[in-house]
Amino acid sequence: MPLSEHEQRMLEQMERALYAEDPKFATALEGSGLRTYTRRRVYQAVAGFLVGIALLMAGMVAVQIWLSVVGFLVMLGCAVLAVTGWRKAPKPGEQPGVPGSSGARRQSRPRRSMMDRIEQRWQRRRDEQGG
């Protein structure tokens, strides 16, 4: 269940107060959280990808198609985990949930689809040429 706006503001105020009061402690807490977890997840996914390559090659050498398919599926799954983990990881200087971080800006601005942007460009060009 997502937090209400009031609860989010209160949490942000508490985080700012913690950073202002004891920045060393706040930095230590920040490092052991989401960034470490996602980094570990990405490393595990890369290792799994390498295992998938080994299974794929072993299946090709042993002429066991099922083993090659399993290896490919392991590679695909690990690649997806690595990419999603890499995108979710906060940047080294960024505090998750603090206003002014890129994550907070990204949530407040509605994301437009590619077709909407193309249509707006088209309309702008028509207006410039016609008027």
Side-chain angles (χ1 to χ4, degrees):
M1 184 166 117
L3 297 175
S4 69
E5 288 183 30
H6 176 69
E7 292 170 333
Q8 287 177 349
R9 280 185 298 214
M10 293 296 292
L11 182 62
E12 290 167 0
Q13 286 177 349
M14 290 170 31
E15 287 176 351
R16 282 192 298 256
L18 176 64
Y19 280 105
E21 200 173 295
D22 194 357
K24 193 173 187 180
F25 177 67
T27 306
L29 285 178
E30 173 191 315
S32 65
L34 182 63
R35 187 172 61 219
T36 304
Y37 170 75
T38 53
R39 185 180 303 145
R40 186 179 314 128
R41 183 174 155 193
V42 168
Y43 290 150
Q44 289 172 347
V46 168
F49 188 84
L50 295 174
V51 168
I53 289 174
L55 285 172
L56 181 74
M57 297 305 283
M60 296 300 287
V61 169
V63 191
Q64 298 290 329
I65 300 299
W66 66 271
L67 188 59
S68 295
V69 170
V70 169
F72 176 76
L73 292 176
V74 168
M75 287 171 49
L76 183 64
C78 289
V80 168
L81 282 176
V83 169
T84 57
W86 190 262
R87 286 184 180 173
K88 289 181 183 177
K91 306 295 181 260
E94 171 180 76
Q95 293 105 18
V98 174
S101 68
S102 64
R105 274 185 267 135
R106 201 176 299 133
Q107 289 177 349
S108 64
R109 185 178 61 199
R111 190 172 179 116
R112 298 182 303 180
S113 70
M114 185 179 75
M115 290 304 292
D116 289 338
R117 290 182 298 206
I118 291 172
E119 187 175 330
Q120 283 183 344
R121 288 180 191 161
W122 179 260
Q123 285 289 1
R124 215 176 319 134
R125 287 179 187 156
R126 272 183 61 200
D127 293 342
E128 288 173 0
Q129 289 176 355

